[in-house]
């Protein structure tokens, strides 16, 4: 298994501790290294085993100091310097910094003044009005902290889809290699592609459940066995709980339907079954019309749950068919009208990753990306895209540290992008990611915007309160083509701005502006419920990765599945068009 996530978490904790001590530069280099290690496709322990610290330094952003720390951690399970730092500041750094507005320096200040070590302490101190008394803090900061604590508590329990999905892929690949397994699939929220995941549910069909459970406990990625029985087991892998259930093949479809959820979807399905004199549960669909009343399986043992004449259960299609419904993709199963649509044969024809023609939001070394324009374009071609838009950050609200391009830079880059476009088969659109200010202004001169092929306008500052008016202003700007990550939310970090999404979508439809589903697994913004409203209002959606390096083109699948959760069809999606179709939308 790979220990990359584990090592990255330790390096991030080191960065926080160093920042708490006011150390310059080092915290950011630790964070960059942590990001690269997490994204690296080869396991750090494999690299280290095969090539020692030198091999670790092949990972981007990892120099000799961080390679040595990584090696120390792999060898001993701890990092001496981190242990020392923890001793000096003995706090739950990860939990405390999860509260928006609380950074490592705040953690250090509140520990010194008030002895705050965890979220409970923080909450107590804020409620008692102690924080406002600390030098450098005020009543406003204190009330902000108090307000943000529940969100931090809630969000820390769930993993990002982008972290959980690779684990799910690996457990499925592993189960496919186990002889006793006849079929296997993921269930639960991971199969529905929810943006955050409580645990990874996996289902297998086998005539020999114990053999499957035994094999699963010995899975190389399992760090710990949390619990195990004869037909189920839970392990911890990559800091995630993975729940496996094994059922007989005849009940696989019913179990898959049941454990895929969502609960609300299952309630709606169950009610439909009851209307038809049927009972549906994890064991099958049963005709209970001939049974005595009171014997309907509520609070009943397993054998009673199988009472009645069995009419379906081996396949999920069969389960839905028995209830007079078409099978539907798991992404739709959130009780947003899919049960009625499946009964009326009125389900949407969802887009797939194969429908995607290109990516219309990515970055290069011109702003905060790593690669050159040519490398980013070559990466798009390699990924299979027909076109790509280079949309580096413009300077303006929310851009710090000189990241964004001036109007003059943008004109210069436009020439550079045109030159790359000449050299390649991929169609390259020259674009920009401009900033939408709090007042809705767009941070680039109109003449430059007009010269570019594609203008993505995104909010990067003032990401709280209602943002409807500023987005409406951006949408009405004649040069804006796409509104990027419209709410600015960061999963598990900040909720982003509130939107009257009906109003925003109607304006977007009117002005021929696309709304982005940003596929970065930290964002997934627009969220699916907003996307559903948007397409119902006739707006066009653009599913973009916001890649800062070619490997991040892979994020596209998270955006596509988010769009599927929003009932989007290929016709709703700008980048499901071919390059000419995109040009037409852009008025080129
Ligand atoms: P998560 O893990 O919090 O991201 O969300 P899920 O949806 O994976 O939920 P989980 O792991 O608790 O359970 C997996 C599925 O099992 C869930 O989506 C629906 C089904 N399920 C679990 N408990 C119940 C229940 O009490 N009633 C019904 N109808 N279904 C349930
Ligand atoms: Ca789950
Ligand atoms: Ca579960
Ligand atoms: Zn952005």
């Amino acid at each position: 298994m790979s220990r990359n996530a584990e090592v990255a978490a330790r390096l991030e904790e080191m960065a926080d501790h160093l920042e708490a001590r006011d150390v310059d530069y080092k915290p950011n280099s630790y964070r960059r290294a942590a990001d690269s290690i997490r994204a690296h496709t080869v396991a750090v322990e494999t690299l280290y085993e095969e090539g020692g610290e030198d091999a670790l330094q092949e990972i981007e952003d990892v120099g000799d100091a961080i390679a040595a720390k990584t090696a120390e951690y792999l060898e001993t399970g701890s990092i001496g310097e981190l242990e020392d730092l923890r001793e000096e500041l003995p706090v739950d750094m990860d939990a405390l910094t999860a509260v928006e507005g609380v950074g490592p320096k705040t953690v250090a200040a509140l520990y010194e003044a008030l002895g705050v070590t965890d979220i409970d302490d923080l909450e107590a101190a804020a409620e008692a009005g102690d924080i406002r008394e600390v030098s450098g803090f005020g009543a406003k900061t204190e009330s902000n902290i108090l307000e943000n604590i529940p969100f931090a508590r809630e969000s820390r329990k769930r993993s990002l889809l982008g972290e959980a999905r690779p684990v799910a892929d690996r457990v499925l690949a592993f189960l496919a290699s186990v002889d006793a397994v006849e079929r296997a699939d993921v269930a639960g929220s991971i199969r529905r592609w929810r943006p955050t995941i409580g645990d990874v549910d996996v289902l297998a069909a086998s005539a020999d459940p114990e053999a499957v459970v035994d094999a699963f406990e010995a899975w190389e990625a399992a760090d710990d066995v949390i619990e195990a029985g004869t037909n189920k087991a839970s392990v911890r892998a990559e800091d995630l709980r993975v729940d496996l259930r094994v059922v007989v093949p005849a009940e696989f479809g019913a179990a898959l339907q049941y454990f895929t959820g969502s609960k609300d979807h299952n309630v709606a399905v169950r009610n439909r079954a009851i209307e038809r004199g049927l009972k549906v549960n994890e064991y099958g669909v049963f005709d209970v019309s001939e049974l005595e009343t009171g014997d309907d399986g509520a609070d009943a043992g397993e054998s009673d749950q199988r009472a009645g004449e069995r009419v379906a259960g081996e396949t999920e299609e069969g389960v839905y068919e028995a209830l007079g419904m078409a099978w539907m993709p798991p992404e739709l199963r959130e009780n947003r009208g899919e049960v009625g649509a499946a009964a009326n044969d009125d389900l949407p024809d969802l887009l797939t990753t194969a429908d995607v023609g290109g990516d219309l939001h990515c970055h290069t070394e011109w702003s905060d990306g790593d690669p050159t324009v040519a490398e980013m374009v070559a990466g798009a071609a390699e990924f299979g895209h027909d076109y790509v838009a280079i949309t580096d950050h413009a300077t303006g609200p929310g851009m710090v540290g000189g990241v964004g391009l001036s109007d003059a830079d943008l004109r210069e880059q436009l020439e550079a992008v045109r030159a790359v476009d000449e050299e390649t088969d991929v169609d390259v659109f020259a674009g920009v990611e401009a900033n939408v200010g709090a007042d809705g202004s767009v941070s680039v001169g109109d003449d430059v915007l007009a010269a570019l092929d594609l203008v993505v306008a995104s909010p990067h500052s003032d990401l709280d309160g209602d943002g409807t008016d500023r987005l409406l202003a951006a949408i009405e700007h004649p040069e804006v083509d796409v509104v990027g990550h419209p709410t600015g939310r960061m999963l598990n970090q900040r909720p982003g701005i509130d939107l009257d999404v009906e109003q925003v979508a109607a304006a977007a439809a009117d002005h021929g502006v696309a709304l982005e589903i940003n596929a970065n697994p930290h964002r997934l913004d627009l969220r699916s419920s907003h996307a559903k409203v948007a397409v119902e209002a006739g707006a066009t959606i653009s599913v973009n990765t916001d890649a800062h390096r070619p490997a991040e083109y892979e994020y596209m699948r998270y955006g596509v599945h988010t769009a599927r959760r929003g009932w989007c069809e290929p016709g709703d999606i700008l980048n499901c068009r071919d390059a000419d179709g995109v040009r037409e939308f852009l008025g080129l």
Side-chain angles (χ1 to χ4, degrees):
M1 65 149 285
S2 143
R3 301 180 64 187
N4 295 27
E6 210 179 315
V7 169
R10 299 301 169 272
L11 295 175
E12 275 163 355
E13 193 184 342
M14 284 213 54
D16 284 348
H17 274 282
L18 293 168
E19 188 180 328
R21 300 176 59 121
D22 253 334
V23 176
D24 281 337
Y25 308 114
K26 244 175 144 182
N28 279 339
S29 53
Y30 273 80
R31 287 192 186 108
R32 287 178 67 94
D35 276 349
S36 297
I37 288 173
R38 191 177 278 114
H40 201 70
T41 48
V42 184
V44 280
E45 66 274 23
T46 308
L47 284 174
Y48 181 59
E49 215 167 278
E50 287 171 2
E53 290 179 29
D54 286 349
L56 291 173
Q57 288 190 53
E58 283 166 19
I59 303 174
E60 215 170 328
D61 305 315
V62 174
D64 49 1
I66 288 170
K69 297 268 183 305
T70 303
E72 183 186 350
Y73 184 74
L74 293 173
E75 294 275 359
T76 69
S78 64
I79 300 172
E81 191 185 339
L82 176 59
E83 296 301 322
D84 293 343
L85 289 164
R86 281 175 175 169
E87 210 162 289
E88 280 169 45
L89 185 57
V91 298
D92 188 345
M93 185 62 91
D94 196 28
L96 288 168
T97 54
V99 179
E100 203 191 344
V102 177
K105 285 179 189 156
T106 301
V107 171
L110 294 179
Y111 174 75
E112 268 152 41
L114 303 170
V116 168
T117 64
D118 58 21
I119 293 215
D120 289 344
D121 290 349
L122 183 70
E123 187 171 46
E127 276 172 352
D130 291 341
I131 291 177
R132 69 180 75 181
E133 306 297 335
V134 179
S135 137
F137 293 78
K140 180 87 179 83
T141 312
E142 184 178 76
S143 71
N144 276 344
I145 289 176
L146 203 50
E147 214 169 278
N148 292 330
I149 284 175
F151 187 78
R153 274 219 176 92
E154 207 34 55
S155 58
R156 275 176 46 77
K157 292 186 206 132
R158 303 183 64 79
S159 302
L160 299 185
L161 174 66
E163 296 161 350
R165 188 69 223 189
V167 175
D169 293 339
R170 283 173 58 192
V171 73
L172 287 179
F174 168 70
L175 289 172
S177 75
V178 174
D179 280 345
V181 172
E182 289 182 27
R183 299 178 58 188
D185 208 338
V186 285
S189 53
I190 193 99
R191 185 163 181 245
R192 305 196 314 277
W193 297 78
R194 273 195 66 179
T196 63
I197 302 292
D199 62 8
V200 175
D201 298 288
V202 191
L203 195 68
S206 174
D208 185 359
E210 280 184 68
V212 179
V213 169
D214 286 347
F216 180 60
E217 285 179 65
W219 178 34
E220 58 179 356
D223 294 323
D224 256 340
V225 176
I226 300 166
E227 52 194 330
T230 51
N231 60 1
K232 57 183 188 180
S234 300
V235 304
R236 197 172 54 79
E238 300 254 355
D239 278 334
L240 274 158
R241 181 188 171 105
V242 184
D243 280 353
L244 171 73
R245 283 185 193 76
V246 191
V247 300
V248 296
E251 294 179 347
F252 183 77
L256 185 59
Q257 194 286 323
Y258 179 87
F259 290 111
T260 295
S262 65
K263 276 178 196 158
D264 290 345
H265 171 82
N266 284 356
V267 167
V269 167
R270 201 184 315 139
N271 287 339
R272 187 173 163 84
I274 291 166
E275 284 163 20
R276 313 180 135 227
L278 298 169
K279 176 179 72 182
V280 57
N281 58 30
E282 62 186 283
Y283 307 104
V285 182
F286 302 89
D287 183 342
V288 289
S289 56
E290 303 291 307
L291 291 184
E292 312 258 323
T293 50
D295 191 16
D296 61 358
D299 203 24
E302 248 194 54
S303 59
D304 293 332
Q305 296 222 29
R306 293 188 179 87
E309 187 202 340
R310 178 189 181 78
V311 295
E314 188 166 359
T315 67
E316 212 177 38
E317 285 81 356
V319 169
Y320 283 110
E321 192 187 283
L323 303 174
M325 294 161 72
W327 179 88
M328 77 197 74
E331 294 94 325
L332 295 179
R333 302 183 197 174
E334 299 290 352
N335 199 27
R336 295 176 183 165
E338 73 280 6
V339 170
N344 298 328
D345 215 1
D346 199 18
L347 288 165
D349 197 357
L350 303 180
L351 79 152
T352 70
T353 48
D355 295 318
V356 171
D359 203 327
L360 298 176
H361 182 170
C362 73
H363 297 270
T364 74
E365 62 177 3
W366 284 73
S367 62
D368 58 349
D370 294 333
T372 63
V373 171
E375 284 163 351
M376 213 56 202
V377 169
E382 202 170 307
F383 188 75
H385 285 320
D386 298 328
Y387 52 85
V388 64
I390 302 297
T391 55
D392 274 305
H393 289 289
T395 183
M399 289 301 115
V400 285
V403 159
L405 303 184
S406 67
D407 286 11
D409 295 334
L410 283 166
R411 285 195 182 280
E412 191 187 330
Q413 192 195 26
L414 174 60
E415 298 311 312
V417 170
R418 293 275 184 262
V420 172
D421 188 24
E422 293 287 304
E423 305 279 298
T424 170
D425 291 341
V426 178
D427 281 335
V428 188
F429 297 107
V432 64
E433 182 179 14
N435 309 291
V436 178
D439 59 358
S441 58
V442 174
S443 69
V444 178
D446 289 353
D447 53 333
V448 177
L449 294 178
L452 294 166
D453 300 327
L454 173 78
V455 176
V456 178
S458 315
H460 288 116
S461 62
D462 304 282
L463 297 171
D464 48 20
D466 191 281
T468 305
D469 288 344
R470 75 196 275 200
L471 290 197
L472 290 176
I475 286 165
E476 285 160 15
H477 190 295
E479 301 300 340
V480 169
D481 301 300
V482 177
V483 176
H485 49 73
T487 75
R489 79 162 170 179
M490 292 292 270
L491 291 161
N492 289 354
Q493 288 173 42
R494 64 169 185 242
I497 54 185
D498 297 326
L499 289 186
D500 179 338
V501 69
E502 268 106 357
Q503 219 184 327
V504 169
D510 254 13
H511 290 268
V513 168
L515 300 176
E516 179 177 84
I517 291 178
N518 189 295
N520 183 297
H522 291 281
R523 294 187 180 273
L524 300 178
D525 174 18
L526 289 180
R527 70 196 65 200
S528 61
S529 55
H530 284 173
K532 184 167 189 275
V533 172
V535 297
E536 276 163 8
T540 297
I541 300 285
S542 185
V543 185
N544 302 324
T545 64
D546 199 353
H548 284 65
R549 50 186 88 172
E552 292 175 357
Y553 286 128
E554 301 284 345
Y555 291 159
M556 185 56 79
R557 67 174 177 157
Y558 301 122
V560 165
H561 285 280
T562 299
R564 288 166 60 87
R565 287 172 57 78
W567 295 50
C568 296
E569 303 190 339
D572 300 318
I573 308 292
L574 174 55
N575 52 319
C576 286
R577 303 185 181 193
D578 61 17
D580 284 335
V582 174
R583 265 184 216 104
E584 192 189 320
F585 184 89
L586 298 175
L588 299 177

Coordinates of all heavy atoms in Angstrom, one line a residue, residues 157-159 189 196-200 240-241:
K157 N -15.0 14.9 9.8 CA -15.4 13.5 9.9 C -15.4 12.8 8.5 O -15.4 11.6 8.3 CB -16.8 13.3 10.5 CG -16.8 13.7 11.9 CD -18.2 13.3 12.5 CE -18.5 14.2 13.7 NZ -19.9 14.8 13.6
R158 N -15.4 13.6 7.4 CA -15.6 13.1 6.1 C -14.4 13.3 5.2 O -13.7 14.3 5.3 CB -16.9 13.7 5.5 CG -18.1 13.5 6.3 CD -19.4 14.1 5.7 NE -19.7 13.4 4.4 CZ -20.3 12.2 4.4 NH1 -20.7 11.6 5.5 NH2 -20.6 11.7 3.2
S159 N -14.1 12.3 4.4 CA -13.0 12.4 3.5 C -13.5 13.0 2.1 O -14.7 12.9 1.8 CB -12.4 11.0 3.2 OG -12.0 10.4 4.4
S189 N -22.1 6.0 -0.5 CA -21.8 7.4 -1.1 C -20.8 7.4 -2.2 O -20.8 8.2 -3.1 CB -21.5 8.3 0.0 OG -20.4 7.8 0.8
T196 N -18.1 14.3 -0.5 CA -17.4 13.8 0.6 C -18.0 12.5 1.1 O -19.1 12.1 0.8 CB -17.5 14.8 1.8 OG1 -18.9 14.9 2.2 CG2 -17.0 16.2 1.5
I197 N -17.1 11.7 1.7 CA -17.4 10.3 1.9 C -17.1 9.9 3.4 O -16.1 10.3 4.0 CB -16.4 9.4 1.1 CG1 -16.5 9.8 -0.4 CG2 -16.6 7.9 1.3 CD1 -17.8 9.4 -1.1
G198 N -18.1 9.3 4.0 CA -18.0 8.9 5.4 C -17.1 7.7 5.5 O -16.1 7.6 6.2
D199 N -17.5 6.6 4.8 CA -16.7 5.4 4.7 C -16.9 4.8 3.3 O -17.9 5.1 2.6 CB -17.0 4.4 5.8 CG -18.4 3.9 5.8 OD1 -19.2 4.2 4.8 OD2 -18.8 3.2 6.8
V200 N -16.1 3.9 2.9 CA -16.1 3.3 1.6 C -16.8 1.9 1.8 O -16.4 1.1 2.5 CB -14.7 3.1 1.0 CG1 -14.8 2.3 -0.3 CG2 -14.0 4.4 0.8
L240 N -8.9 5.7 5.8 CA -10.4 5.6 5.5 C -10.9 4.3 6.0 O -10.1 3.3 6.1 CB -10.6 5.6 4.0 CG -10.7 6.9 3.3 CD1 -10.3 6.7 1.8 CD2 -12.1 7.4 3.4
R241 N -12.1 4.3 6.4 CA -12.7 3.0 6.8 C -13.3 2.4 5.6 O -14.1 3.0 4.8 CB -13.9 3.3 7.8 CG -14.6 2.1 8.3 CD -15.8 2.5 9.2 NE -16.6 1.3 9.5 CZ -16.6 0.7 10.7 NH1 -15.9 1.2 11.7 NH2 -17.3 -0.3 10.9

